[in-house]
Amino acid sequence: MTDHQSAEDGDTLPGMRTGRTGRTRRMAELAAVVSAATAVAALVLGLFGLIGAGGSTRTPDASGGSSSMPPAETPSATATETPTPAPTPTGSAGPGATPTPAPSPPPPLPPGWRRTDAAALTTSLALPDGWKLKEDDALRANWISPDGRYVLGVKRDSTHGSTAQAASIGQLAWYRQSAQSKMYDLTAESRALDQRGRDAVRLDLDFRWEGERTPSRRIELFVAGERGQVYQLLADDLRPDQASALPELFETARAQLVVDTP
């Protein structure tokens, strides 16, 4: 029995060793296959990860959707505002503003003329020698030539507005009311001009004074002052003819006119 068992043991041990070896080998091969599959799966997952990292990123928004805006371009929560400079008030000398230049002084007086101040009217003008003051009050001042033919005068008020245009229109409308102005058969011509850097209006009038049969002629200048009032310079010829000196008188007086004097 013992020998038989020993013989059987001698017959079966090699087979058993062979079976165990085959199973071990198959397990090793299975392990190698699993390991290879795991490596392939890891490689595939890694490739998907690289593709996802290089593609478009879509970040969820607050409503559950998504935004395709790259994170670097996403606006910040707090907006930054650039303050707008306050406008410079009209007439003020702000930074870089060019101040209004002072008017140039009048030209030298021509021979036979003298300068006269109308202090109550804050103006000055020039008159030919020998002229006499005819009227002088808080509204106007008039001078008359020695022969009584010509009149030069200045006036200052705000009755018809604060601009030369408004004042000339209002004054002309009043002249046309003959019952008040005592001017009849009136014809007028108006034109804008520059008075030493200021807007001005010139009126040329032909008319007849009440009770007179002969015509009269007037040239009048309107120029606005700085205090809301308008200055008027007038030159009258009470006996106009072809030899009238009225245009020269007016132009010389106009060149010498200074308004807004202290």
Side-chain angles (χ1 to χ4, degrees):
M1 180 72 64
T2 302
D3 293 339
H4 177 71
Q5 289 176 347
S6 298
E8 289 179 353
D9 290 339
D11 293 338
T12 60
L13 287 174
M16 292 176 64
R17 287 195 297 271
T18 301
R20 290 176 181 175
T21 301
R23 285 195 300 271
T24 302
R25 183 177 301 164
R26 285 194 297 273
M27 291 178 66
E29 291 176 352
L30 179 61
V33 171
V34 171
S35 177
T38 303
V40 171
L43 179 60
V44 172
L45 292 176
L47 289 176
F48 275 110
L50 290 175
I51 293 174
S56 174
T57 59
R58 300 179 68 85
T59 56
D61 58 18
S63 62
S66 62
S67 171
S68 60
M69 181 182 292
E73 298 179 8
T74 303
S76 59
T78 303
T80 302
E81 296 183 358
T82 303
T84 302
T88 302
T90 303
S92 63
T98 302
T100 302
S104 58
L109 284 170
W113 287 67
R114 60 183 173 85
R115 177 160 295 281
T116 300
D117 293 328
L121 304 176
T122 62
T123 186
S124 67
L125 70 159
L127 298 166
D129 292 339
W131 286 46
K132 302 298 183 180
L133 185 63
K134 182 181 179 182
E135 295 174 293
D136 186 15
D137 55 38
L139 182 63
R140 65 178 61 83
N142 293 324
W143 291 263
I144 192 167
S145 63
D147 60 1
R149 175 174 176 173
Y150 299 103
V151 176
L152 282 174
V154 288
K155 181 182 176 183
R156 185 197 65 176
D157 72 353
S158 57
T159 303
H160 304 297
S162 60
T163 67
Q165 184 72 19
S168 64
I169 292 173
Q171 187 69 64
L172 182 57
W174 187 83
Y175 287 156
R176 295 187 185 280
Q177 299 177 29
S178 300
Q180 299 181 34
S181 68
K182 311 303 181 184
M183 301 167 74
Y184 293 84
D185 305 326
L186 177 67
T187 62
E189 180 182 348
S190 174
R191 58 181 171 178
L193 48 80
D194 177 83
Q195 175 63 19
R196 299 174 60 214
R198 300 192 187 194
D199 293 336
V201 174
R202 169 175 168 167
L203 282 182
D204 287 79
L205 308 172
D206 286 287
F207 60 96
R208 178 178 55 83
W209 287 113
E210 184 179 41
E212 297 287 339
R213 300 183 62 180
T214 58
S216 294
R217 182 168 297 162
R218 171 177 293 183
I219 305 176
E220 194 162 358
L221 176 76
F222 298 79
V223 55
E226 296 177 350
R227 302 177 182 93
Q229 295 178 314
V230 177
Y231 293 86
Q232 295 171 237
L233 170 70
L234 63 88
D236 281 355
D237 185 350
L238 304 180
R239 298 187 296 272
D241 56 23
Q242 295 296 326
S244 175
L246 184 66
E248 292 79 7
L249 284 171
F250 172 79
E251 288 298 339
T252 303
R254 177 192 164 204
Q256 298 295 327
L257 182 68
V258 178
V259 301
D260 294 324
T261 59

